[in-house]
Amino acid sequence: MVSLAHRPFVKMNGLGNEILVLDLRADPVAVAPEAARALARREALPFDQAMVLYPPRRPDTAAFVRILNSDGSYSSACGNGTRCIAVLEAAATGSSHVRFESEAGLLDCRVHADGTVTVDMGAPRFSWRDIPLARDVGDTAAVLVEGFEQLGPASLVSMGNPHAVFFVPAADAVDVEGLGAALERHPLFPERANISFASLTGPDAVLLHVWERGAGRTRACGTAGCATAVAAARTGRTGRTVSVRLPGGLLGIAWLPGEDSHVLMTGPVEREFSGLLTPAMLGEAA
Ligand SMILES: N[C@H](CCC[C@H](N)C(=O)O)C(=O)O
């Protein structure tokens, strides 16, 4: 495996969701799960997701993006990380309209004058095979999860990655770590799942705490914000334009009219610092 030492990185965050950007377009190499885990250590460059940019596979995109969680696993979607790479690409090209491709499809991004970014996150998918679930559970809008019936039904949805959303009376009072870790690996979810706990705080306003697959508790998760807004609208709790408050701040989500319609996510990003990866960060002998 080729070392990533001396490659440039940019450390950013999207609403406190810790994002490491590795642009490998000039000299692409695979990022091993061990390298991702080494980089995510507290003494290296702690991140929730690494967004790794590869040369585009389609002419109308800036890059093909691979997304790694801090535990070294892959995800096909990351909303907060997509806003981060959109801002970098917009700054580099001078264009406010940027497109990427990921395993989940095209990501069309608009960087606004105030620095916020809107990403077209694609259409939600609701069928048990697409999420995926271990079996046909009937209507995925409301599913009692075995062993967790006390939480009430979960609303299950794929935003390119699997999500389970529980609507609870007080999301602030939920044991996110305990329940999240157990539910992430519940047998209903063969590819694990991101677990959301949401409460309604006003008309079309939701408070959200997220336990992420492969990363644990995070200050914000963009795809979970989308999944929660879609679940809330689908179950009649809100309209289709929802403001989602996470510990890291606010996301605006709009699910365009129609079941097959795309979800637009808007929120801020922060660029923190940049540098070159060192052997020590990668856990390699210098
Ligand atoms: N933080 C990300 C989600 C990462 C997804 C990942 N945890 C998975 O599905 O494995 C977001 O802003 O959407």
Side-chain angles (χ1 to χ4, degrees):
M1 188 67 68
V2 182
S3 171
L4 290 167
H6 315 301
R7 300 303 184 107
F9 70 83
V10 184
K11 175 64 182 55
M12 304 183 73
N13 75 76
L15 292 174
N17 187 187
E18 306 294 348
I19 304 293
L20 179 67
V21 181
L22 299 179
D23 185 350
L24 303 183
R25 282 177 289 189
D27 188 9
V29 293
V31 177
E34 303 77 54
R37 285 195 291 271
L39 284 173
R41 287 170 307 150
R42 193 178 300 276
E43 63 273 30
L45 290 167
F47 66 82
D48 300 317
Q49 274 79 42
M51 308 292 289
V52 187
L53 306 190
Y54 288 106
R57 297 181 181 180
R58 299 171 43 135
D60 54 349
T61 58
F64 185 86
V65 188
R66 299 217 60 156
I67 302 158
L68 288 112
N69 290 310
S70 54
D71 75 349
S73 63
Y74 282 104
S75 175
S76 42
C78 176
N80 292 326
T82 302
R83 294 201 312 282
C84 290
I85 58 175
V87 162
L88 293 182
E89 191 65 18
T93 60
S95 167
S96 58
H97 181 203
V98 186
R99 288 175 110 195
F100 299 101
E101 187 187 6
S102 76
E103 298 289 348
L106 282 182
L107 293 160
D108 201 83
C109 314
R110 302 252 169 208
V111 180
H112 307 293
D114 66 357
T116 62
V117 184
T118 299
V119 183
D120 181 337
M121 298 292 291
R125 284 176 298 160
F126 302 117
S127 86
W128 70 275
R129 285 180 209 279
D130 284 341
I131 293 173
L133 304 177
R135 60 191 168 79
D136 186 352
V137 293
D139 183 4
T140 54
V143 178
L144 280 175
V145 179
E146 204 185 330
F148 297 87
E149 291 84 355
Q150 78 280 10
L151 290 172
S155 209
L156 309 178
V157 52
S158 168
M159 283 306 313
N161 54 353
H163 288 269
V165 182
F166 292 89
F167 290 95
V168 296
D172 272 338
V174 169
D175 171 16
V176 177
E177 278 83 5
L179 290 169
L183 283 158
E184 175 190 359
R185 295 172 182 277
H186 191 281
L188 183 58
F189 308 120
E191 295 180 10
R192 302 191 277 158
N194 297 286
I195 309 298
S196 287
F197 301 99
S199 348
L200 290 173
T201 51
D204 299 337
V206 172
L207 172 70
L208 177 61
H209 286 271
V210 184
W211 175 270
E212 282 194 31
R213 173 178 74 165
R217 189 171 191 158
T218 57
R219 290 179 54 72
C221 175
T223 47
C226 296
T228 299
V230 164
R234 188 182 177 209
T235 55
R237 290 177 164 92
T238 63
R240 297 173 74 101
T241 300
V242 181
S243 137
V244 179
R245 175 162 295 282
L246 291 129
L250 266 186
L251 278 180
I253 310 292
W255 185 18
L256 302 175
E259 272 272 300
D260 299 336
S261 295
H262 288 205
V263 179
L264 306 182
M265 173 203 64
T266 303
V269 307
E270 272 175 16
R271 184 183 169 129
E272 297 174 0
F273 57 95
S274 56
L276 299 180
L277 300 181
T278 65
M281 289 170 179
L282 290 154
E284 298 167 359

